Amino acid sequence: MSDPATGNIYERAAARNATDAGEDTAPLAGPWTLRGVATEYTVVVPAHGRWLELVSWGPPGVAHGPSPASYTGPTPFLTAGDFAPVEYATDAVRPFTGADLVVETATGDRRISWRYQQAETDGGQLRVTFADPVTGLRAAHCYRIPAGTDVVERWVELTNTGDAPLRLARAGSAGFCVPTPHGARLSYQWGQWAQEFQLAHLDLGHGQFSIGSSQGVPGHSFVPWLAVQDRAEPDGPTWGVALAWTGSWQIVAEPDTGGLTRVRVGRRLVDGGLELPAGGGITLPVVAGAHSDAGLAGLARAWHRYQRQLAGDRLHRARPVLYNSWEATEFAVDADNQLALARIAAELGVETFVVDDGWFIGRHDDRGGLGDWTPDPVKFPAGFDAFIAQIRALDLTFGLWVEPESISPASRLYAEHPDWVYAIDDRPITPIRNQYLLDLGRPEAAEFVHSTLDGLLGRHDIGYLKWDFNRPRTEPGRPGAATRLDLDGAHVANLHRIYAALRRDHPHVTIEACAAGGARTDLAMAAHADVFWPSDNTGPLDRLAIQHGFLHANAPHLLSSWVTDAVGLFDQRPRSLAFRFVLAMAGVLGIGADIRHWTPRQRAEAASWIGRYKQIREVITHGEVHLIGGPDQPRCAVQYTAPDGDTVVVLAWHTGRLDGNGLLPSRPVRLPLRGLATDDTWRHGDDTYSGSHLTAVGLPVRWTADHDAELFVLHRA
Ligand code: DGJ
């Protein structure tokens, strides 16, 4: 039961402790415990009042006992702060082992050191404030565990109450401390275009591990997500961090020599430091920390529950089965070919038809058009609205691709507003995919992007928008700017503002976030968008690996996936149409193949899969996910258990050898299920199983050359 005044925060009477030397170590303030469903997070201000520190982070009740994180022993050649589990450290507190905040005064002095001021607990939020008497910098350390989750949200509000400007040379959002007495095992996701979300692990005994992006977008190279475990317990307690920031970022993990790994998370200040004028303030991005006792798969469930909360009411709209024309027609879009595709798509049971790229003037390839968002009258001779009406007459929602922050050098927009793009005075601009990037932090450019999208959504009958972003920022400059600007921060803030305005004014529109595949996924985008396009690689076995990583950090309602005819780039072994459908059903099902070339038999099979998907998609969207094995393991499946516990959906794929292909002695493969009550009975067709059997032995499946994927729907008897 939570305290009505403070929500889910509990302040306990401070225990009085004594060191061996008899020194009184009673805390100055706290401890405070924030409670989630199966997690608690406890912090305290130690007697010296110089920082806030972690007491414990783990399952309910974990704070009752000596802190696994605190340290008051010797620190030869280092300082006490270098070893303490400090929540948010300045460089005075952690001079050697990594600070979260580095502040410079006008004379270039560093070393902010602050003192505890006050704490407030209100509406489920904890705010603990520190102030630096020399500069007047105040820092409120803010915490919240959204109800129904195991995720602690943390952010810092900085205010310069002094009379001189300050400059933030480093402005992390938080430090997270994880006890790793046997060394840290880190899990992270790396990638590149067409190979995003590759889950990888490493043991880090000593030294630093650092991932991030300086591209003005989260990027393909790494996901702003990290999991930490003790090396001795890879399937046990697991802690994770993820950032809500759609620009450049950094995560650094570093174990100390005393068995604690500290993870710093926050923005990477690619434009130089942040100016904080006298009287000014800044709120740094939210960073979230999740905990599970059930390994990486349990941690994934904690992230899923949290992201479902971020989606709010929009989670409860059925995700439409869509058709996207990109792989079929690329830039060669016209009304006839799109309608031909749409008619077939409608027959298959598709609900939304998305024209991807190529629909606007000057867009015949990737060298032109961006910025001139007018439908091409040559491609739609009867008019764009007449075309949309024909799509709608097929009972399809109409969707449109846009890339509003990009601009082609050959566009009219660029001719009229060359100053709207990122550039460094007279230096050449680096094109990527033959395009430049609008400086969205400029109010005029932001207004252009907003009014373009608002206009398209207002003028035409559009129910789905795919918002793409195909190039990172290269030039950190705004021509003519008199002072150094936080271009990254301004771009991200306006991006989020435009999303919010569109959501407010066009609430029925579903928005898919894309950035040359999956280069723009972070917790902020998980809140603003409805679905992510994770990769341009739709080849089945490559996609399986991409989706496996994606689902560790993201909930299924965010996973857009198409059935196509593509072979993989990395693993080209052929797979059946069934494999491709079951794979795309793991999230939000779409079709991206050129279905004009599908045989009647393929179309009939597709219609059948789409029908089956519609029956299970609520379980996929809302169900509890259990990741079983993985693409490079003997078995590979995902289990979704419906919230009412009455239905279990299992999607399974065959990735390995065929074990005799039924001609030689072999027993069926078993897929052990998770989270089922042992004495329940489950029905699958004519077969029944106990929960105990499904857990201990597993669901039988016999793979053959013709049977490489399966969808199971089990009902509780
Ligand atoms: C990149 C996206 O990832 C693709 O899905 C497609 O929308 C193209 N851009 C269109 O140019």
Side-chain angles (χ1 to χ4, degrees), residues 125-181:
Q125 201 184 100
L126 170 68
R127 283 169 67 87
V128 186
T129 305
F130 288 76
D132 173 37
V134 178
T135 59
L137 182 69
R138 288 175 73 86
H141 305 32
C142 304
Y143 294 80
R144 191 176 87 97
I145 294 188
T149 76
D150 287 305
V151 171
V152 56
E153 292 179 338
R154 297 182 50 189
W155 67 99
V156 173
E157 297 169 8
L158 298 174
T159 316
N160 180 359
T161 68
D163 48 19
L166 297 171
R167 190 172 154 275
L168 313 183
R170 185 186 295 168
S173 282
F176 282 93
C177 298
V178 177
T180 49

Side-chain angles (χ1 to χ4, degrees), residues 344 347-348 577 595-607:
I344 303 166
E347 280 168 20
L348 303 185
L577 191 60
I595 46 181
R596 292 172 298 184
H597 303 307
W598 277 8
T599 62
R601 199 184 159 136
Q602 282 175 306
R603 291 185 195 175
E605 183 177 345

Side-chain angles (χ1 to χ4, degrees), residues 355-363 368-376 384 400-408 411-413 435 438 448-453 455-457 459-460 462 465-470:
V355 175
D356 194 314
D357 212 335
W359 58 269
F360 45 102
I361 52 174
R363 192 63 169 171
L370 297 171
D372 299 341
W373 299 104
T374 304
D376 187 336
F384 201 49
L400 197 61
W401 175 96
V402 286
E403 190 182 349
E405 298 146 271
S406 290
I407 177 166
S408 303
S411 65
R412 202 172 53 210
L413 182 70
Q435 63 204 49
L438 284 179
F448 167 79
V449 168
H450 173 248
S451 61
T452 298
L453 297 177
L456 284 169
L457 297 180
R459 268 194 309 282
H460 307 294
I462 297 171
L465 199 65
K466 178 176 173 186
W467 181 325
D468 204 346
F469 180 93
N470 283 298

Side-chain angles (χ1 to χ4, degrees), residues 566-652:
V567 292
L569 282 175
F570 304 98
D571 190 336
Q572 306 198 334
R573 286 176 295 159
R575 282 297 182 269
S576 68
L577 191 60
F579 188 105
R580 293 163 191 265
F581 265 99
V582 175
L583 184 57
M585 286 177 166
V588 181
L589 173 64
I591 300 184
D594 189 344
I595 46 181
R596 292 172 298 184
H597 303 307
W598 277 8
T599 62
R601 199 184 159 136
Q602 282 175 306
R603 291 185 195 175
E605 183 177 345
S608 156
W609 283 117
I610 291 172
R612 291 177 75 184
Y613 176 72
K614 288 177 182 169
Q615 287 169 359
I616 59 158
R617 68 178 153 193
E618 290 301 303
V619 182
I620 302 282
T621 298
H622 302 282
E624 182 178 88
V625 172
H626 294 269
L627 297 158
I628 301 164
D632 51 4
Q633 292 177 38
R635 45 196 170 205
C636 181
V638 185
Q639 171 189 342
Y640 305 74
T641 305
D644 64 7
D646 284 344
T647 309
V648 166
V649 171
V650 181
L651 309 179

Side-chain angles (χ1 to χ4, degrees), residues 221-242:
S221 305
F222 297 101
V223 178
W225 173 97
L226 183 77
V228 185
Q229 299 167 307
D230 185 87
R231 267 167 56 186
E233 283 195 86
D235 297 321
T238 306
W239 294 264
V241 299

Side-chain angles (χ1 to χ4, degrees), residues 193 324 326 331 356-358 363 366 401 403 433 466 468-470 512 514-518 533 535-536 562:
W193 176 80
N324 180 294
W326 173 246
F331 300 99
D356 194 314
D357 212 335
R363 192 63 169 171
D366 65 11
W401 175 96
E403 190 182 349
R433 207 196 192 203
K466 178 176 173 186
D468 204 346
F469 180 93
N470 283 298
E512 174 175 0
C514 168
W533 178 238
S535 180
D536 283 344
W562 309 337

